[in-house]
Short mmCIF file of all heavy atoms in Angstrom, two decimals:
data_model
loop_
_atom_site.label_atom_id
_atom_site.label_comp_id
_atom_site.label_asym_id
_atom_site.label_seq_id
_atom_site.Cartn_x
_atom_site.Cartn_y
_atom_site.Cartn_z
N LEU A 1 0.84 -1.20 -0.01
CA LEU A 1 0.02 -0.01 -0.01
C LEU A 1 0.87 1.24 -0.01
O LEU A 1 0.57 2.22 -0.75
CB LEU A 1 -0.95 -0.01 1.20
CG LEU A 1 -2.15 -0.90 1.09
CD1 LEU A 1 -2.88 -0.98 2.42
CD2 LEU A 1 -3.10 -0.43 0.00
N ASP A 2 1.96 1.27 0.85
CA ASP A 2 2.85 2.43 0.82
C ASP A 2 3.45 2.63 -0.53
O ASP A 2 3.55 3.77 -1.00
CB ASP A 2 3.93 2.20 1.85
CG ASP A 2 3.46 2.28 3.31
OD1 ASP A 2 2.33 2.78 3.51
OD2 ASP A 2 4.21 1.86 4.20
N ARG A 3 3.87 1.57 -1.21
CA ARG A 3 4.48 1.69 -2.55
C ARG A 3 3.46 2.30 -3.53
O ARG A 3 3.79 3.15 -4.36
CB ARG A 3 4.95 0.31 -3.04
CG ARG A 3 5.64 0.36 -4.39
CD ARG A 3 5.80 -1.07 -4.95
NE ARG A 3 5.92 -0.99 -6.38
CZ ARG A 3 4.91 -0.82 -7.22
NH1 ARG A 3 3.65 -0.80 -6.78
NH2 ARG A 3 5.09 -0.77 -8.49
N LEU A 4 2.25 1.81 -3.50
CA LEU A 4 1.21 2.36 -4.40
C LEU A 4 0.93 3.81 -4.11
O LEU A 4 0.77 4.62 -5.04
CB LEU A 4 -0.08 1.51 -4.32
CG LEU A 4 0.00 0.09 -4.90
CD1 LEU A 4 -1.28 -0.68 -4.56
CD2 LEU A 4 0.25 0.13 -6.40
N HIS A 5 0.87 4.19 -2.85
CA HIS A 5 0.66 5.60 -2.46
C HIS A 5 1.81 6.47 -2.95
O HIS A 5 1.61 7.59 -3.42
CB HIS A 5 0.42 5.77 -0.97
CG HIS A 5 -0.95 5.43 -0.53
ND1 HIS A 5 -2.07 6.13 -0.89
CD2 HIS A 5 -1.39 4.44 0.31
CE1 HIS A 5 -3.14 5.59 -0.36
NE2 HIS A 5 -2.74 4.58 0.39
N GLU A 6 3.03 5.97 -2.82
CA GLU A 6 4.21 6.74 -3.29
C GLU A 6 4.14 6.99 -4.78
O GLU A 6 4.52 8.03 -5.28
CB GLU A 6 5.50 6.01 -2.92
CG GLU A 6 5.87 6.09 -1.46
CD GLU A 6 7.05 5.22 -1.11
OE1 GLU A 6 7.77 4.73 -2.01
OE2 GLU A 6 7.24 5.01 0.11
N ARG A 7 3.70 5.94 -5.50
CA ARG A 7 3.68 6.02 -6.97
C ARG A 7 2.50 6.78 -7.52
O ARG A 7 2.60 7.55 -8.49
CB ARG A 7 3.70 4.62 -7.55
CG ARG A 7 3.67 4.64 -9.05
CD ARG A 7 4.23 3.38 -9.62
NE ARG A 7 4.23 3.63 -11.10
CZ ARG A 7 4.60 2.72 -11.93
NH1 ARG A 7 5.04 1.57 -11.51
NH2 ARG A 7 4.62 3.01 -13.21
N TYR A 8 1.30 6.61 -6.93
CA TYR A 8 0.06 7.13 -7.51
C TYR A 8 -0.62 8.20 -6.67
O TYR A 8 -1.61 8.80 -7.10
CB TYR A 8 -0.94 6.01 -7.73
CG TYR A 8 -0.45 4.97 -8.70
CD1 TYR A 8 0.05 3.74 -8.23
CD2 TYR A 8 -0.49 5.19 -10.06
CE1 TYR A 8 0.53 2.80 -9.12
CE2 TYR A 8 -0.03 4.22 -10.96
CZ TYR A 8 0.49 3.02 -10.46
OH TYR A 8 0.94 2.07 -11.38
N GLY A 9 -0.12 8.47 -5.47
CA GLY A 9 -0.76 9.47 -4.59
C GLY A 9 -1.93 8.84 -3.85
O GLY A 9 -1.95 7.66 -3.55
N GLU A 10 -2.88 9.66 -3.54
CA GLU A 10 -4.03 9.21 -2.73
C GLU A 10 -5.03 8.43 -3.57
O GLU A 10 -5.30 8.79 -4.73
CB GLU A 10 -4.70 10.37 -2.04
CG GLU A 10 -3.85 11.00 -0.93
CD GLU A 10 -3.46 9.97 0.13
OE1 GLU A 10 -4.39 9.28 0.67
OE2 GLU A 10 -2.31 9.91 0.49
N PHE A 11 -5.66 7.41 -2.98
CA PHE A 11 -6.73 6.68 -3.60
C PHE A 11 -7.48 6.00 -2.45
O PHE A 11 -6.99 5.85 -1.33
CB PHE A 11 -6.19 5.63 -4.59
CG PHE A 11 -5.16 4.72 -4.02
CD1 PHE A 11 -5.48 3.60 -3.27
CD2 PHE A 11 -3.77 5.01 -4.24
CE1 PHE A 11 -4.49 2.77 -2.76
CE2 PHE A 11 -2.81 4.18 -3.74
CZ PHE A 11 -3.15 3.08 -2.99
N PRO A 12 -8.76 5.64 -2.72
CA PRO A 12 -9.54 5.02 -1.63
C PRO A 12 -9.03 3.64 -1.26
O PRO A 12 -8.65 2.85 -2.15
CB PRO A 12 -10.93 4.89 -2.24
CG PRO A 12 -10.94 5.75 -3.47
CD PRO A 12 -9.52 5.90 -3.92
N VAL A 13 -9.01 3.37 0.06
CA VAL A 13 -8.66 2.05 0.56
C VAL A 13 -9.80 1.62 1.47
O VAL A 13 -10.05 2.25 2.46
CB VAL A 13 -7.34 2.05 1.33
CG1 VAL A 13 -7.05 0.65 1.89
CG2 VAL A 13 -6.15 2.49 0.44
N ALA A 14 -10.51 0.55 1.06
CA ALA A 14 -11.56 0.01 1.88
C ALA A 14 -11.00 -1.14 2.71
O ALA A 14 -10.43 -2.07 2.15
CB ALA A 14 -12.69 -0.52 0.99
N GLU A 15 -11.10 -1.02 4.01
CA GLU A 15 -10.64 -2.09 4.91
C GLU A 15 -11.86 -2.88 5.33
O GLU A 15 -12.79 -2.33 5.98
CB GLU A 15 -9.86 -1.59 6.07
CG GLU A 15 -9.23 -2.77 6.88
CD GLU A 15 -8.21 -2.32 7.87
OE1 GLU A 15 -7.22 -1.64 7.47
OE2 GLU A 15 -8.41 -2.61 9.04
N ASN A 16 -11.91 -4.12 4.97
CA ASN A 16 -13.03 -4.99 5.31
C ASN A 16 -12.53 -6.12 6.23
O ASN A 16 -11.60 -6.81 5.93
CB ASN A 16 -13.65 -5.61 4.07
CG ASN A 16 -14.25 -4.55 3.19
OD1 ASN A 16 -14.92 -3.65 3.66
ND2 ASN A 16 -14.00 -4.62 1.90
N CYS A 17 -13.22 -6.24 7.37
CA CYS A 17 -12.84 -7.23 8.35
C CYS A 17 -13.84 -8.37 8.27
O CYS A 17 -15.03 -8.16 8.24
CB CYS A 17 -12.86 -6.65 9.75
SG CYS A 17 -11.65 -5.31 9.96
N GLU A 18 -13.29 -9.61 8.21
CA GLU A 18 -14.11 -10.79 8.11
C GLU A 18 -13.81 -11.73 9.26
O GLU A 18 -12.70 -12.17 9.36
CB GLU A 18 -13.89 -11.52 6.77
CG GLU A 18 -14.36 -10.76 5.59
CD GLU A 18 -14.34 -11.62 4.31
OE1 GLU A 18 -14.49 -12.87 4.42
OE2 GLU A 18 -14.18 -11.07 3.25
N PRO A 19 -14.77 -12.00 10.12
CA PRO A 19 -14.52 -12.96 11.19
C PRO A 19 -14.46 -14.36 10.56
O PRO A 19 -15.26 -14.75 9.70
CB PRO A 19 -15.76 -12.86 12.08
CG PRO A 19 -16.81 -12.18 11.27
CD PRO A 19 -16.12 -11.40 10.19
N LEU A 20 -13.47 -15.14 10.96
CA LEU A 20 -13.26 -16.48 10.42
C LEU A 20 -13.32 -17.57 11.49
O LEU A 20 -12.75 -17.39 12.57
CB LEU A 20 -11.89 -16.61 9.73
CG LEU A 20 -11.60 -15.57 8.62
CD1 LEU A 20 -10.14 -15.73 8.12
CD2 LEU A 20 -12.54 -15.76 7.44
N THR A 21 -13.99 -18.66 11.15
CA THR A 21 -13.94 -19.80 12.03
C THR A 21 -12.54 -20.40 11.98
O THR A 21 -11.73 -20.05 11.10
CB THR A 21 -14.97 -20.89 11.60
OG1 THR A 21 -14.57 -21.38 10.29
CG2 THR A 21 -16.39 -20.32 11.55
N ALA A 22 -12.23 -21.31 12.87
CA ALA A 22 -10.89 -21.96 12.86
C ALA A 22 -10.66 -22.65 11.53
O ALA A 22 -9.56 -22.58 10.99
CB ALA A 22 -10.82 -22.97 14.03
N GLU A 23 -11.68 -23.30 10.96
CA GLU A 23 -11.53 -23.99 9.69
C GLU A 23 -11.25 -22.99 8.56
O GLU A 23 -10.39 -23.21 7.72
CB GLU A 23 -12.78 -24.80 9.39
CG GLU A 23 -12.71 -25.61 8.12
CD GLU A 23 -13.97 -26.45 7.87
OE1 GLU A 23 -14.57 -26.91 8.87
OE2 GLU A 23 -14.33 -26.58 6.68
N GLN A 24 -12.01 -21.88 8.49
CA GLN A 24 -11.81 -20.88 7.49
C GLN A 24 -10.43 -20.25 7.60
O GLN A 24 -9.73 -20.04 6.60
CB GLN A 24 -12.87 -19.78 7.55
CG GLN A 24 -14.26 -20.24 7.18
CD GLN A 24 -15.31 -19.20 7.57
OE1 GLN A 24 -15.22 -18.58 8.62
NE2 GLN A 24 -16.30 -19.03 6.70
N PHE A 25 -10.03 -19.97 8.84
CA PHE A 25 -8.69 -19.39 9.06
C PHE A 25 -7.56 -20.30 8.56
O PHE A 25 -6.66 -19.89 7.91
CB PHE A 25 -8.51 -19.07 10.54
CG PHE A 25 -7.29 -18.24 10.82
CD1 PHE A 25 -7.28 -16.85 10.67
CD2 PHE A 25 -6.14 -18.87 11.25
CE1 PHE A 25 -6.14 -16.12 10.90
CE2 PHE A 25 -4.96 -18.12 11.52
CZ PHE A 25 -4.97 -16.73 11.36
N ALA A 26 -7.74 -21.58 8.78
CA ALA A 26 -6.76 -22.58 8.31
C ALA A 26 -6.73 -22.61 6.77
O ALA A 26 -5.64 -22.69 6.19
CB ALA A 26 -7.10 -23.97 8.85
N GLU A 27 -7.90 -22.51 6.12
CA GLU A 27 -7.91 -22.45 4.66
C GLU A 27 -7.16 -21.25 4.15
O GLU A 27 -6.39 -21.33 3.17
CB GLU A 27 -9.37 -22.47 4.15
CG GLU A 27 -10.09 -23.79 4.35
CD GLU A 27 -11.56 -23.67 3.97
OE1 GLU A 27 -12.01 -22.65 3.44
OE2 GLU A 27 -12.28 -24.66 4.26
N TRP A 28 -7.47 -20.08 4.75
CA TRP A 28 -6.78 -18.81 4.29
C TRP A 28 -5.29 -18.95 4.50
O TRP A 28 -4.53 -18.59 3.61
CB TRP A 28 -7.31 -17.64 5.05
CG TRP A 28 -8.65 -17.17 4.62
CD1 TRP A 28 -9.73 -17.91 4.20
CD2 TRP A 28 -9.10 -15.78 4.55
NE1 TRP A 28 -10.79 -17.12 3.91
CE2 TRP A 28 -10.47 -15.82 4.11
CE3 TRP A 28 -8.53 -14.60 4.88
CZ2 TRP A 28 -11.17 -14.63 3.97
CZ3 TRP A 28 -9.26 -13.42 4.72
CH2 TRP A 28 -10.57 -13.46 4.26
N THR A 29 -4.84 -19.39 5.65
CA THR A 29 -3.39 -19.47 5.93
C THR A 29 -2.75 -20.55 5.07
O THR A 29 -1.56 -20.40 4.72
CB THR A 29 -3.10 -19.70 7.41
OG1 THR A 29 -3.80 -20.88 7.85
CG2 THR A 29 -3.54 -18.54 8.28
N ASP A 30 -3.48 -21.62 4.75
CA ASP A 30 -2.88 -22.62 3.82
C ASP A 30 -2.61 -22.02 2.48
O ASP A 30 -1.59 -22.30 1.85
CB ASP A 30 -3.85 -23.82 3.70
CG ASP A 30 -3.85 -24.73 4.94
OD1 ASP A 30 -2.98 -24.50 5.85
OD2 ASP A 30 -4.73 -25.61 5.03
N ASP A 31 -3.55 -21.19 1.96
CA ASP A 31 -3.35 -20.57 0.67
C ASP A 31 -2.16 -19.62 0.72
O ASP A 31 -1.35 -19.56 -0.21
CB ASP A 31 -4.61 -19.78 0.27
CG ASP A 31 -5.69 -20.67 -0.30
OD1 ASP A 31 -5.45 -21.86 -0.54
OD2 ASP A 31 -6.87 -20.16 -0.43
N VAL A 32 -2.07 -18.83 1.80
CA VAL A 32 -0.92 -17.94 1.93
C VAL A 32 0.41 -18.70 1.94
O VAL A 32 1.35 -18.35 1.23
CB VAL A 32 -1.06 -17.07 3.25
CG1 VAL A 32 0.25 -16.34 3.55
CG2 VAL A 32 -2.22 -16.08 3.09
N ALA A 33 0.43 -19.79 2.72
CA ALA A 33 1.67 -20.55 2.81
C ALA A 33 2.00 -21.32 1.50
O ALA A 33 3.15 -21.33 1.08
CB ALA A 33 1.55 -21.54 3.98
N ALA A 34 1.00 -21.92 0.90
CA ALA A 34 1.25 -22.74 -0.30
C ALA A 34 1.61 -21.92 -1.53
O ALA A 34 2.42 -22.35 -2.37
CB ALA A 34 0.05 -23.61 -0.58
N TYR A 35 0.98 -20.76 -1.64
CA TYR A 35 1.16 -19.94 -2.90
C TYR A 35 1.80 -18.60 -2.65
O TYR A 35 1.82 -17.78 -3.57
CB TYR A 35 -0.22 -19.77 -3.56
CG TYR A 35 -0.98 -21.05 -3.78
CD1 TYR A 35 -2.12 -21.33 -3.01
CD2 TYR A 35 -0.56 -22.00 -4.70
CE1 TYR A 35 -2.83 -22.50 -3.18
CE2 TYR A 35 -1.25 -23.16 -4.89
CZ TYR A 35 -2.36 -23.44 -4.13
OH TYR A 35 -3.03 -24.60 -4.34
N ASP A 36 2.26 -18.35 -1.45
CA ASP A 36 2.75 -16.97 -1.11
C ASP A 36 1.65 -15.98 -1.45
O ASP A 36 1.95 -14.89 -1.97
CB ASP A 36 4.06 -16.64 -1.82
CG ASP A 36 5.21 -17.44 -1.28
OD1 ASP A 36 5.32 -17.61 -0.05
OD2 ASP A 36 6.05 -17.90 -2.10
N TYR A 37 0.42 -16.32 -1.18
CA TYR A 37 -0.70 -15.51 -1.60
C TYR A 37 -0.83 -14.23 -0.86
O TYR A 37 -0.85 -14.21 0.39
CB TYR A 37 -2.01 -16.31 -1.49
CG TYR A 37 -3.19 -15.64 -2.15
CD1 TYR A 37 -3.29 -15.59 -3.53
CD2 TYR A 37 -4.23 -15.10 -1.41
CE1 TYR A 37 -4.33 -15.00 -4.17
CE2 TYR A 37 -5.33 -14.50 -2.02
CZ TYR A 37 -5.36 -14.43 -3.38
OH TYR A 37 -6.43 -13.83 -4.00
N ILE A 38 -0.90 -13.13 -1.57
CA ILE A 38 -1.01 -11.77 -0.93
C ILE A 38 -2.34 -11.12 -1.34
O ILE A 38 -2.82 -10.21 -0.67
CB ILE A 38 0.20 -10.89 -1.29
CG1 ILE A 38 0.18 -9.61 -0.50
CG2 ILE A 38 0.24 -10.57 -2.77
CD1 ILE A 38 0.53 -9.80 0.93
N GLY A 39 -2.95 -11.57 -2.47
CA GLY A 39 -4.17 -10.94 -2.96
C GLY A 39 -4.20 -10.93 -4.47
O GLY A 39 -3.62 -11.79 -5.11
N GLY A 40 -4.92 -9.96 -5.03
CA GLY A 40 -5.07 -9.92 -6.46
C GLY A 40 -5.04 -8.50 -7.03
O GLY A 40 -5.01 -7.53 -6.30
N ALA A 41 -5.01 -8.44 -8.36
CA ALA A 41 -4.92 -7.16 -9.06
C ALA A 41 -5.74 -7.23 -10.33
O ALA A 41 -5.74 -8.23 -11.05
CB ALA A 41 -3.48 -6.82 -9.40
N TYR A 42 -6.53 -6.18 -10.58
CA TYR A 42 -7.53 -6.17 -11.66
C TYR A 42 -7.50 -4.88 -12.43
O TYR A 42 -7.10 -3.85 -11.88
CB TYR A 42 -8.91 -6.38 -11.02
CG TYR A 42 -8.96 -7.65 -10.20
CD1 TYR A 42 -8.55 -7.61 -8.84
CD2 TYR A 42 -9.28 -8.84 -10.72
CE1 TYR A 42 -8.53 -8.76 -8.07
CE2 TYR A 42 -9.27 -10.02 -9.96
CZ TYR A 42 -8.91 -9.95 -8.65
OH TYR A 42 -8.87 -11.10 -7.90
N CYS A 43 -7.96 -4.91 -13.66
CA CYS A 43 -7.89 -3.71 -14.52
C CYS A 43 -9.26 -3.34 -15.12
O CYS A 43 -9.95 -4.17 -15.69
CB CYS A 43 -6.94 -3.95 -15.71
SG CYS A 43 -5.21 -3.98 -15.27
N TRP A 44 -9.57 -2.05 -14.98
CA TRP A 44 -10.67 -1.40 -15.68
C TRP A 44 -10.03 -0.84 -16.97
O TRP A 44 -9.34 0.14 -16.91
CB TRP A 44 -11.27 -0.32 -14.81
CG TRP A 44 -12.36 0.48 -15.47
CD1 TRP A 44 -12.16 1.63 -16.22
CD2 TRP A 44 -13.73 0.29 -15.41
NE1 TRP A 44 -13.39 2.12 -16.61
CE2 TRP A 44 -14.37 1.30 -16.10
CE3 TRP A 44 -14.55 -0.69 -14.76
CZ2 TRP A 44 -15.77 1.39 -16.26
CZ3 TRP A 44 -15.94 -0.60 -14.88
CH2 TRP A 44 -16.49 0.44 -15.63
N ILE A 45 -10.27 -1.52 -18.12
CA ILE A 45 -9.61 -1.16 -19.36
C ILE A 45 -10.61 -0.48 -20.26
O ILE A 45 -11.63 -1.06 -20.63
CB ILE A 45 -9.04 -2.43 -20.06
CG1 ILE A 45 -8.14 -3.20 -19.13
CG2 ILE A 45 -8.30 -2.02 -21.34
CD1 ILE A 45 -7.85 -4.59 -19.61
N ARG A 46 -10.24 0.72 -20.69
CA ARG A 46 -11.06 1.49 -21.62
C ARG A 46 -10.40 1.49 -22.96
O ARG A 46 -9.19 1.65 -23.08
CB ARG A 46 -11.21 2.93 -21.11
CG ARG A 46 -12.24 3.70 -21.86
CD ARG A 46 -12.25 5.19 -21.44
NE ARG A 46 -11.99 5.94 -22.66
CZ ARG A 46 -10.81 6.32 -23.14
NH1 ARG A 46 -9.71 6.04 -22.53
NH2 ARG A 46 -10.76 7.04 -24.23
#
């Protein structure tokens, strides 16, 4: 986020909190560990 702010200036950041059960938390952390998963990136192309 800091890198994007340095490069592009201000933009909206929505922080969404999701409560997770132990099973859901394990699934999320397994994805992070197995794939070095950090998230995704998408384009609005005109």
Side-chain angles (χ1 to χ4, degrees):
L1 283 171
D2 289 345
R3 183 193 155 279
L4 290 173
H5 280 296
E6 286 173 13
R7 179 159 185 181
Y8 298 100
E10 289 302 311
F11 52 83
V13 177
E15 188 167 302
N16 296 316
C17 298
E18 292 190 29
L20 302 175
T21 64
E23 184 178 325
Q24 291 169 320
F25 189 82
E27 289 173 8
W28 284 37
T29 56
D30 287 350
D31 283 348
V32 168
Y35 308 109
D36 291 318
Y37 191 70
I38 189 72
Y42 305 86
C43 288
W44 176 272
I45 306 165
R46 193 187 121 269

